[in-house]
Amino acid sequence: MKFFIDTANIDQIKEAASYGLLDGVTTNPSLVAKEGKNFRELLGEIVKIVDGPISAEVVSTDYEGILKEAYELAKIHKNIVIKVPLIKEGIKAVKTLSEKEIKTNVTLCFSAAQALLAAKAGAAYISPFVGRLDDVSTNGMELIKQIVTIYRNYNFKTEVLVASIRHPLHVVDAAIMGADVCTMPFDVIEKLFNHPLTDIGLEKFLSDWKKLNQ
Ligand code: G3P
């Protein structure tokens, strides 16, 4: 399973990349706004740190506007993936972009029906938001199971990119279900390493070793 980081923060991207396990980056308008930097310049920095798919989201909601933004963003670097919202105009744009071999990541997916549309339009990635579904008392991971099954049934090439991840269990469940990618906030990547028994065990090994006085 591929690991992406879900942030536009350069320090977090650098730190996560230093572990050697980072395959890509996803951003969204809220994450970019938090950094208060020029979007294009920020993307220029990110592509230098991570050699993998970097999702950059459009903010237009009409077909022509989405395409215009997509072509501009795609020019920045070969690894830029155009993130497009799951609306009618967005799906139309995804179809056109995929015909031109420009990769897309369809975002704000909350149902299996929506995921089916994105795959038929030729999206490279679908981003179902599991945490936001959990927030409204709907099982987000159940949606991942449905999408993985549907895509396998028809051999769709669209990769299932689990988004809106809130904790390590989302990641483990996604891996069990066979999702292609998890995009995680920095704190979730950090939490994947942790186990109290590892800390206790290491402390004991080191203190026993000290007693040997070697
Ligand atoms: O980038 C899309 C998604 O991962 C957002 O997550 O935590 O804002 O629901 P969240």
Side-chain angles (χ1 to χ4, degrees):
M1 187 174 65
K2 286 173 235 170
F3 280 12
F4 289 5
I5 188 166
D6 195 27
T7 185
N9 182 279
I10 294 296
D11 292 337
Q12 290 182 349
I13 295 170
K14 279 186 182 160
E15 178 65 17
S18 76
Y19 310 149
L21 308 173
L22 195 62
D23 302 296
V25 180
T26 52
T27 65
N28 65 40
S30 306
L31 293 170
V32 173
K34 251 205 267 181
E35 300 308 310
K37 292 183 180 173
N38 174 280
F39 186 30
R40 298 179 63 89
E41 284 170 20
L42 190 59
L43 290 172
E45 279 186 77
I46 297 173
V47 295
K48 281 187 208 142
I49 306 166
V50 181
D51 184 18
I54 315 293
S55 286
E57 190 160 340
V58 299
V59 287
S60 298
T61 53
D62 63 296
Y63 173 76
E64 293 298 343
I66 292 170
L67 287 186
K68 191 167 173 281
E69 272 188 71
Y71 296 139
E72 286 304 314
L73 290 168
K75 268 191 236 158
I76 296 174
H77 194 272
K78 63 172 176 39
N79 286 346
I80 298 286
V81 173
I82 312 302
K83 213 168 167 188
V84 179
L86 210 156
I87 52 175
K88 261 186 208 165
E89 297 287 293
I91 292 296
K92 273 162 64 180
V94 166
K95 175 80 180 167
T96 302
L97 292 168
S98 76
E99 280 163 3
K100 293 183 190 298
E101 286 180 12
I102 294 175
K103 284 192 172 166
T104 53
N105 172 1
V106 176
T107 188
L108 290 167
C109 171
F110 293 96
S111 78
Q114 290 179 318
L116 190 51
L117 297 174
K120 282 184 69 70
Y125 303 94
I126 183 71
S127 286
F129 280 26
V130 295
R132 292 194 198 184
L133 279 170
D134 290 352
D135 288 345
V136 294
S137 309
T138 302
N139 188 340
M141 292 315 297
E142 196 49 45
L143 174 59
I144 302 303
K145 205 189 280 175
Q146 291 175 354
I147 299 173
V148 168
T149 305
I150 291 168
Y151 284 11
R152 277 197 192 135
N153 285 348
Y154 296 97
N155 207 13
F156 281 123
K157 297 285 169 281
T158 306
E159 292 189 43
V160 180
L161 191 166
V162 184
S164 186
I165 281 178
R166 300 279 160 79
H167 49 70
L169 258 188
H170 276 149
V171 181
V172 173
D173 286 341
I176 291 168
M177 288 169 192
D180 303 281
V181 190
C182 274
T183 190
M184 296 167 259
F186 182 71
D187 74 295
V188 175
I189 295 179
E190 294 293 291
K191 283 177 189 162
L192 292 178
F193 287 91
N194 299 341
H195 199 289
L197 290 179
T198 305
D199 301 337
I200 294 165
L202 182 62
E203 209 180 306
K204 177 88 173 98
F205 284 159
L206 296 181
S207 66
D208 287 346
W209 189 252
K210 246 186 214 158
K211 285 179 212 152
L212 184 62
N213 216 359
Q214 190 156 275

